[in-house]
Amino acid sequence: MDENKTAALAGGSIAKNARKNLEAKTGKKVITSDNYLPPSKNKRIKKDDGDTE
């Protein structure tokens, strides 16, 4: 799990820097209220408790 967390943090940092660079270069915001998806209410993953009875 630690490898996944490290990779996710690195990927997020790269994406953030790319977005910031693009916004600085174009002078326009990349993220607006018109181009995002609202959070889904049904996107929960059931946690397996390991009990197979």
Side-chain angles (χ1 to χ4, degrees), residues 5 44 47:
K5 184 177 181 179
R44 299 245 174 188
K47 191 172 186 178

Side-chain angles (χ1 to χ4, degrees), residues 10-44:
S13 180
I14 291 168
K16 177 184 175 183
N17 291 336
R19 179 181 60 83
K20 295 271 188 183
N21 289 338
L22 180 62
E23 288 177 343
K25 189 174 185 179
T26 62
K28 296 180 180 179
K29 291 285 185 182
V30 173
I31 300 172
T32 67
S33 60
D34 295 332
N35 67 1
Y36 81 99
L37 294 175
S40 174
K41 292 181 181 179
N42 297 331
K43 210 171 190 181
R44 299 245 174 188

